[in-house]
Amino acid sequence: MKKNLINFIVTLIIAVILSQFLPWWHVMAAGFISAVFFSLNRAAVFYIPFLAIFIYWTIYAFWLSQANDFILAKKIAVLLPLGGSWFVLLLVTGCIGGIAAGVAALLGKQCRNLVKR
Amino acid sequence: MKYFKSLLTLALTLAVFIGLNGKFGSTPPMGKFLSPNQGFWQNEQDENLSSTVQIDGLEDEVTVHYDEHLIPHVFAQNNADLYRAQGFLTAKHRLWQLEFQTFAAGGRLAEIFGEQALDYDRQERRRGMDFGAENALQKMKEDPETLSYIEAYRDGVNSYINQLKPKDYPVEYKLLDYAPEPWSIKKTALLLMYMTKMLAGRESDLEQTNALAKFGKERYDLLYPDFYDVNDPVIPKKTDWSFIDIEMPEAPENESSIDSISLTETIDKPHAQNGSNNWAVSGEKSYSGHPILANDPHLGLNLPAIWFVMQLATPEHNSYGATLPGALGIISGYNNHISWGETNATRDVIDWYKIEFKDDTRKEYKHDGQWKKTTQRIEEIKIRNKETLYDTIIYTHHGPVTYDHNFKGDNAKSGYAMQWVGHIGGNNQRTFLKLNEGKNYDDYLDALKSYTAPAQNFVFASTEGDIALWIQGKFPNKWEGQGKFLLDGSNPKHDWQSFIPQEFNAHTKNPERGFVSSANQHPVDASYPFYVYNDGYETYRNRVINDFFRAKDQFDIQDFKNLQNNNYNLKASELLPYIFDNMETSTLTNDETEILNTIKTWDFYSEIDQLAPSIWETWWTKLYKTVWDEFDADTMALEIPYTYQTIYMLKNHPKDELMDILSTPEKETAKDLFLITFKETAKELTEWRAEHGNYNWGAYKATFVGHLLQALPAFSRFDLHIGGDYNTVNAAAKNHGPSWRMIVEMTSPPTGYGIYPGGQSGNPGSKYYDNFIDRWAVGEYMDLLFMQSEKDTEQIIASQTLTPKQ
C-alpha cells in the first residue's frame, strides 16, 4: 500500500514539473519514470499512474474551465460529441491522460525488469 | 517470452502515443487537444486586457481602451504606430480567422485539410487569385506610404504571433493540428482579393452563351433582358450625362454565331445573395439638419464575424467603424468630418475568351492572325500528408486559361481564358487609408480615384452638409454586348479596348431629391452612355428604400433603424395578388383552403411570428423551379432567368411554352403551375408541422450564423429570431444577411449606432464571441462610443498600453 502511495505521489509531482516544459506527453514520461524507479506489481502498475494523472488533469482542467463558466468546455462537448456535458468531457480528459500514463508505466516496468536481469 | 512481452508493451506505448498525438480524419489529436496544459482548456478564458505589452518597432506609446463591448479604441501618435497596433490587436482577437481567410483566398486550404481541399485550391489558383494578389501587391509597393503602413501592420501581427506559445494558439489551430505562420504584406493583398472574388467574382458568361445557343436571340432577350420594365437605379433617372464626351467602342460587324460551350460545369460562383444597402439623407431631409448616413453590407453570416469594430485615432485624424481583419483602416465608418459605406456595384468585370492553341504543347495561341507566345505559371499546391502538386496554368494576354484539358475541359488544343479586373491589381488599400483621414467631399473623391475592385457604391455624407454616391471601380469600356457571352480570344476586336475614365463613372452629389441610396440594383438607366446590362441586379430592396424616402419630408434615427429592419416583401406583393385572382381553387381540400386563406390575409411583412412568409417562401421556391424545369433536363451549364423576369413571364406570358412541365403529358399554363405548386407546398408544410411544430417564419427559416469551418455546430448559433428574406431591406436569409448595420448622424462629432451578428472575440470560449447576435436579430443597436480624447475614460472597462521594445 505504501509503495502505491509513493508511486502515486511521485507520478503526480513529476507530471506537474514536466508539464512546464513538455507537451501533453509529459504524463507518459511521468508514468514511465515513476514505474522505473518506484516499481509496482500486477494491475497497480497501470492503475496507480492512471489515477494520479486522471486526478491531475481533471482538477487542472476543472480549475481552468470553472473560472470561465465552462463556456468552451460545453462547446467542445458538443463537438466531440459528448452531449454537451462539460462533466463528461472532464472525465474523458482524465481518462485519456490516465491511459497514456498507465501504458507508459507498463513500459517502464518492463524496462526495469530487463535491466535488473 | 519476456522479450516478447517487452516488445508488446513498447508497441502498445507507441500506439498510444501516435494515436493521441496525431489527427485522424476530422478527429483532433486527442492527447494534445485534451491536455489541460496545452490543449483547448487553455483557451477557456476571456482576453487578457489590462497589461502593458512591448511591441517591436513602435515609435511611441499607443494607448488602447476597451469599452464594454470589447471594442478597442486605439490612440497612437502617428500612422505607422496606429496600423502596427491595428495589426497587433486584430491578431490578438482574431488570429485564426485573419490567417484562415488568406489561406482560403490564395487556394492553400489543402495545407490544412489535406487532399479533400485540393479541388478548391486548384480552382482558386486557376481563377488567378494568387496572380491577382501579386499584381495588387506590386501596385501597393509603388506607393511608399501604403507600403510603409502595410509593413507596419504586418509587423504588428507578427509581434503578436511571435510571443505565442503553442498553448496560446486559438482553438481552431488545436482542433486542426497546425500552427500560425508569419504574416506577410502579400496577405493583405490576398484578403483584398478575397473580397474582390466575393463581390466582383460573379458572372455567367458561359451559361449565357449556352442559353443564347439554346433559345435563339429573340427568346433569349425576352428571358434575359438588359433592363427590366421597372428600374429605380442607383444614380437617379434623367441624370445629365452630357459631360461624357468620349468616343464609344464600336461593336465588330458580322459577328459569327456563337456555339454552346463544351463544359458541363464551371468554377464555383460567389454567393448570389452577397449584396448590401446604403443611403444618406441631406440636412434638409434630416430631423436635425445634419445629414444621416446608413450602411448594411449583406454577406455570409459567419463566426468569427467578417467585421471587427475599432476606433483608430492619431492627433491628425480619428475614425471609427468596421474593419476587415487583414486590411488596414476603417472600411465602413466615419471620422470627425465624413462618413462612408459601401454596397456592391455589380458590373460585368469578368469575361471569357475561347483560346485556340497551335498544338498540344500550348506554347502558342492564335491572336490577330498570328501565333503568339503563351506564358506558364506553375502553381505549387502543398497538400497535408501528401506530395506537393504542381499545376501548370497557361496565361495569354487575356489572363489565365482557367479551363483546359487538365481542368474541367477535354480538348488539349483549346481552352477558356479569363479576363478579370481583379487580375489587373490596384492599390485599393489606399482608398481606405485616405477615407480614414478625409475631411470633406474632395478628400472622399481623391480617396476613391485609385480604387479598382471590387467596384462599390461608395455612399458619403459630411458634417459640411454634403451627401454623395459614386459608383467606383475600374470598368472596361465595352461595346454593346461585349462580354455578355463568350468572346473570341483570337479576335483583337474582342479584347478590352480601354477603361471608362474614372471621372465618367456614374455618380450623384447633393441630388435634388435630398437622398442617395443603393441596394445592388441597376446602377443607371439606359441613358448612361456606357454599356451596362443586367448582371443579376436586385430589384426589390431598392424600390422599398427609395419609396420610403420619397414618402416623407424628414427622417430621424428611428426611421433609419426601422428601414434597416424593414421586412416588407415587395416581391411577394407583386405576384401573390395575381395568383389569387387567377388560381383555380375548386379542387382544394379543407386543409389546403385554410393554408390559402392564411396567405391571402397576409400583409406582406415577413415577420417571424407569421405563417404566411413560410407559405410564400416554399411556394415561390417550387414555382420558380417548376417554371424552369426545362433547365433541369439539360446537361449544358445554364443559369435560369432571374426572379424579376420570372414573375414578369408568369403575369404577362402565362401561356408561354416554358410554363409546360416536360414530364407530364398535359400542356400546363401559369395558372396550372400555381395550383400544382400550391398543393405541393401545402403537403410539404403539413409534413413539416407534423415533424417540427408550427411553421412560423422564424422557426421555418431558421437563420443561423455558422462558424467558418463549415458551420461547425459547436461554434455556431442556430435558430435566430430574425424576420425578412433576401429580397427585403432587412435582407436576412437563412445564412446570409446584414453583416454590419451602421447609422451615423453627421453632428460634430458624429453620432453613430451599429451592430453586427457576432462578437469582437474570435475565441469560441469567450463571452464576447457571439454576444451581439441576439441584439442584432431583434434590431437593436449599440450607441457607438466615439471617444474624442484618450483621457476621457468614463465608459472604459480596461486599458492597455503598447510600448516600444526597450
Side-chain angles (χ1 to χ4, degrees):
Chain A
M1 200 56 221
K2 202 177 153 199
K3 266 166 84 181
N4 284 356
L5 190 65
I6 291 173
N7 181 293
F8 180 89
I9 293 170
V10 169
T11 310
L12 199 60
I13 290 174
I14 297 177
V16 172
I17 293 172
L18 290 184
S19 74
Q20 306 300 309
F21 322 102
L22 296 180
W24 72 274
W25 46 266
H26 62 271
V27 296
M28 295 187 83
F32 179 87
I33 295 168
S34 60
V36 169
F37 295 102
F38 302 93
S39 173
L40 301 173
N41 294 317
R42 298 174 205 276
V45 178
F46 179 83
Y47 80 74
I48 293 298
F50 176 93
L51 271 180
I53 297 305
F54 181 91
I55 289 171
Y56 169 39
W57 271 23
T58 47
I59 289 180
Y60 186 12
F62 178 85
W63 177 75
L64 286 170
S65 202
Q66 57 80 27
N68 196 40
D69 298 331
F70 306 99
I71 295 177
L72 187 58
K74 285 180 203 160
K75 291 179 181 176
I76 299 297
V78 169
L79 186 130
L80 277 180
L82 301 168
S85 162
W86 60 263
F87 185 73
V88 176
L89 181 61
L90 213 54
L91 297 182
V92 170
T93 297
C95 286
I96 294 275
I99 290 170
V103 169
L106 292 179
L107 183 64
K109 170 86 175 173
Q110 288 299 319
C111 289
R112 180 187 166 97
N113 289 349
L114 287 178
V115 173
K116 262 169 113 182
R117 205 159 299 132
Chain B
M1 193 59 204
K2 285 277 174 198
Y3 288 104
F4 176 70
K5 213 171 152 188
S6 301
L7 281 174
L8 196 67
T9 341
L10 180 65
L12 180 67
T13 311
L14 283 174
V16 167
F17 175 79
I18 292 166
L20 296 179
N21 197 52
K23 180 169 171 282
F24 297 93
S26 60
T27 312
M30 294 299 272
K32 257 191 225 181
F33 187 68
L34 294 180
S35 154
N37 75 321
Q38 179 192 9
F40 86 88
W41 297 100
Q42 288 286 333
N43 302 81
E44 181 83 277
Q45 55 177 306
D46 275 335
E47 280 79 347
N48 171 18
L49 301 177
S50 303
S51 60
T52 300
V53 185
Q54 291 196 347
I55 295 187
D56 246 348
L58 277 183
E59 287 172 35
D60 282 299
E61 271 189 8
V62 176
T63 305
V64 184
H65 294 304
Y66 286 95
D67 64 25
E68 56 169 331
H69 307 296
L70 201 77
I71 293 169
H73 302 257
V74 185
F75 292 87
Q77 296 307 312
N78 56 67
N79 277 343
D81 280 0
L82 183 71
Y83 295 121
R84 190 178 299 263
Q86 185 181 3
F88 179 86
L89 293 166
T90 305
K92 180 175 163 66
H93 300 290
R94 296 287 186 85
L95 177 60
W96 177 77
Q97 168 197 16
L98 177 70
E99 185 180 65
F100 183 76
Q101 289 179 166
T102 60
F103 270 62
R108 291 182 59 195
L109 292 184
E111 288 178 43
I112 303 171
F113 299 105
E115 208 170 10
Q116 53 173 323
L118 183 59
D119 285 345
Y120 170 85
D121 284 354
R122 283 192 74 200
Q123 166 182 293
E124 297 313 302
R125 306 294 179 106
R126 284 178 168 265
R127 202 194 290 277
M129 291 294 284
D130 208 52
F131 170 68
E134 282 172 13
N135 291 339
L137 185 59
Q138 203 50 45
K139 290 272 164 49
M140 288 195 268
K141 281 181 175 170
E142 286 165 15
D143 176 28
E145 197 185 13
T146 306
L147 178 63
S148 69
Y149 298 156
I150 60 175
E151 285 176 346
Y153 186 94
R154 171 199 66 196
D155 295 344
V157 173
N158 287 335
S159 310
Y160 181 74
I161 294 176
N162 291 338
Q163 47 98 39
L164 291 182
K165 299 191 187 77
K167 74 179 174 69
D168 306 317
Y169 293 163
V171 68
E172 289 91 344
Y173 288 105
K174 298 181 183 179
L175 206 53
L176 299 166
D177 196 25
Y178 74 114
E181 66 178 22
W183 184 261
S184 64
I185 51 174
K186 187 180 164 190
K187 289 182 182 235
T188 290
L190 278 167
L191 186 273
L192 294 172
M193 278 302 285
Y194 185 66
M195 298 309 293
T196 304
K197 177 184 89 166
M198 189 186 291
L199 298 170
R202 208 181 152 76
E203 48 74 35
S204 47
D205 297 11
L206 304 181
E207 289 84 352
Q208 299 291 334
T209 306
N210 284 343
L212 181 61
K214 181 179 167 79
F215 294 111
K217 176 118 178 57
E218 196 181 328
R219 289 287 284 167
Y220 175 85
D221 285 342
L222 174 65
L223 299 177
Y224 304 90
D226 280 355
F227 286 87
Y228 296 130
D229 66 338
V230 296
N231 186 18
D232 194 347
V234 175
I235 304 305
K237 285 180 183 175
K238 301 198 182 91
T239 295
D240 179 11
W241 303 112
S242 60
F243 67 96
I244 297 175
D245 53 0
I246 57 164
E247 215 174 301
M248 296 298 156
E250 252 175 61
E253 278 167 35
N254 58 34
E255 277 302 276
S256 54
S257 67
I258 305 165
D259 299 330
S260 63
I261 310 294
S262 57
L263 302 169
T264 50
E265 59 170 26
T266 52
I267 52 176
D268 293 343
K269 298 182 201 309
H271 203 289
Q273 295 177 351
N274 288 332
S276 314
N277 304 319
N278 64 19
W279 57 77
V281 298
S282 66
E284 292 85 71
K285 263 183 120 70
S286 155
Y287 78 107
S288 65
H290 302 291
I292 315 174
L293 173 145
N295 187 202
D296 58 304
H298 311 150
L299 300 170
L301 300 176
N302 290 328
L303 284 168
I306 188 155
W307 302 106
F308 181 64
V309 174
M310 297 182 92
Q311 177 173 356
L312 299 171
T314 68
E316 280 75 44
H317 60 96
N318 181 5
S319 51
Y320 189 108
T323 72
L324 284 172
L328 283 64
I330 304 292
I331 306 294
S332 166
Y334 54 99
N335 62 25
N336 277 333
H337 311 280
I338 67 170
S339 54
W340 62 95
E342 302 84 21
T343 67
N344 201 24
T346 314
R347 285 280 267 277
D348 186 15
V349 291
I350 298 180
D351 285 332
W352 291 93
Y353 291 86
K354 185 161 189 170
I355 301 297
E356 188 190 331
F357 295 115
K358 190 175 177 187
D359 52 44
D360 290 358
T361 63
R362 306 188 298 162
K363 294 226 157 68
E364 289 170 291
Y365 69 106
K366 197 184 214 174
H367 184 253
D368 201 7
Q370 303 161 34
W371 292 106
K372 296 193 173 170
K373 294 242 178 305
T374 60
T375 52
Q376 289 189 348
R377 188 183 156 92
I378 299 172
E379 295 282 353
E380 180 188 25
I381 306 177
K382 293 185 187 142
I383 309 167
R384 187 171 186 159
N385 299 328
K386 281 223 135 182
E387 249 175 78
T388 300
L389 181 112
Y390 295 91
D391 193 12
T392 304
I393 304 173
I394 307 287
Y395 276 69
T396 65
H397 73 291
H398 301 292
V401 182
T402 305
Y403 303 107
D404 59 16
H405 69 292
N406 290 322
F407 191 77
K408 298 187 197 285
D410 53 8
N411 190 337
K413 283 175 70 177
S414 73
Y416 300 102
M418 177 188 194
Q419 178 143 21
W420 183 21
V421 160
H423 292 149
I424 297 172
N427 184 358
N428 299 314
Q429 179 61 74
R430 177 188 172 274
T431 298
F432 296 103
L433 295 170
K434 291 294 165 198
L435 283 172
N436 277 248
E437 298 174 9
K439 290 188 162 62
N440 51 43
Y441 178 79
D442 290 341
D443 290 346
Y444 153 80
L445 206 52
D446 172 67
L448 256 50
K449 267 182 190 154
S450 58
Y451 186 84
T452 61
Q456 299 289 296
N457 305 308
F458 283 91
V459 70
F460 168 86
S462 72
T463 51
E464 290 177 356
D466 288 325
I467 60 169
L469 196 154
W470 271 78
I471 302 179
Q472 178 59 30
K474 194 171 178 121
F475 301 116
N477 184 1
K478 297 180 174 185
W479 37 263
E480 181 94 23
Q482 186 180 14
K484 190 170 182 181
F485 310 103
L486 177 69
L487 293 166
D488 179 357
S490 69
N491 184 348
K493 286 182 178 154
H494 283 209
D495 289 2
W496 286 1
Q497 312 288 335
S498 61
F499 292 94
I500 296 178
Q502 192 273 334
E503 64 270 28
F504 296 156
N505 279 343
H507 61 275
T508 174
K509 183 190 176 193
N510 297 328
E512 231 170 86
R513 64 182 189 178
F515 70 94
V516 296
S517 80
S518 72
N520 320 108
Q521 77 269 38
H522 233 298
V524 288
D525 65 3
S527 69
Y528 186 56
F530 298 99
Y531 176 60
V532 177
Y533 69 94
N534 177 19
D535 198 17
Y537 293 121
E538 218 278 343
T539 20
Y540 299 101
R541 285 182 277 118
N542 63 312
R543 289 187 285 149
V544 176
I545 293 167
N546 288 348
D547 289 346
F548 184 84
F549 285 114
R550 286 186 194 112
K552 281 208 296 183
D553 288 335
Q554 288 204 326
F555 296 86
D556 61 18
I557 300 297
Q558 192 56 46
D559 289 323
F560 269 51
K561 290 181 177 175
N562 292 347
L563 183 54
Q564 280 190 334
N565 289 281
N566 183 308
N567 292 328
Y568 183 67
N569 203 319
L570 180 60
K571 179 167 93 180
S573 81
E574 289 187 341
L575 179 60
L576 282 175
Y578 178 84
I579 294 184
F580 299 148
D581 287 346
N582 289 280
M583 188 170 81
E584 179 61 54
T585 55
S586 60
T587 62
L588 295 183
T589 65
N590 286 344
D591 287 350
E592 286 165 349
T593 307
E594 199 188 315
I595 293 173
L596 183 65
N597 287 338
T598 305
I599 192 167
K600 268 186 161 169
T601 56
W602 185 29
D603 61 1
F604 302 118
Y605 280 86
S606 293
E607 307 296 350
I608 48 175
D609 54 352
Q610 299 269 316
L611 298 174
S614 309
I615 304 171
W616 159 250
E617 176 70 20
T618 313
W619 195 356
W620 168 250
T621 306
K622 290 181 184 302
L623 186 58
Y624 191 37
K625 197 168 156 41
T626 311
V627 172
W628 306 119
D629 63 319
E630 288 77 4
F631 286 69
D632 292 342
D634 213 308
T635 56
M636 278 196 291
L638 286 166
E639 196 166 79
I640 60 179
Y642 296 121
T643 297
Y644 184 85
Q645 200 60 14
T646 306
I647 292 177
Y648 175 88
M649 291 297 291
L650 285 166
K651 285 162 72 172
N652 295 284
H653 300 270
K655 295 195 169 132
D656 191 279
E657 60 184 276
L658 280 164
M659 300 301 161
D660 183 37
I661 302 176
L662 293 183
S663 60
T664 61
E666 294 87 17
K667 191 92 184 148
E668 285 86 0
T669 64
K671 216 168 128 175
D672 302 317
L673 298 189
F674 298 151
L675 184 63
I676 292 167
T677 51
F678 178 72
K679 280 179 173 281
E680 287 172 6
T681 300
K683 182 164 173 276
E684 185 171 313
L685 289 173
T686 309
E687 284 168 9
W688 198 92
R689 185 170 54 195
E691 202 176 325
H692 308 279
N694 227 342
Y695 51 82
N696 61 63
W697 182 228
Y700 190 73
K701 180 175 62 155
T703 294
F704 70 97
V705 181
H707 186 267
L708 279 172
L709 287 176
Q710 297 178 322
L712 208 60
F715 296 165
S716 304
R717 288 285 308 275
F718 297 93
D719 297 317
L720 303 174
H721 296 289
I722 182 163
D725 69 15
Y726 167 60
N727 296 104
T728 61
V729 178
N730 176 29
K734 191 174 175 62
N735 185 224
H736 225 84
S739 60
W740 158 241
R741 290 193 189 115
M742 176 184 76
I743 297 169
V744 192
E745 184 180 353
M746 296 314 289
T747 47
S748 292
T751 314
Y753 311 85
I755 192 125
Y756 68 92
Q760 288 287 92
S761 172
N763 175 14
S766 165
K767 64 173 183 272
Y768 298 107
Y769 173 66
D770 56 1
N771 57 326
F772 298 154
I773 291 182
D774 294 324
R775 294 184 64 189
W776 164 85
V778 297
E780 286 179 12
Y781 292 75
M782 303 185 282
D783 293 341
L784 302 177
L785 174 66
F786 189 29
M787 296 176 66
Q788 291 300 302
S789 157
E790 65 178 289
K791 301 202 169 56
D792 182 19
T793 57
E794 208 174 305
Q795 295 175 61
I796 293 310
I797 59 160
S799 298
Q800 195 165 37
T801 310
L802 313 181
T803 60
K805 212 165 210 168
Q806 300 303 320

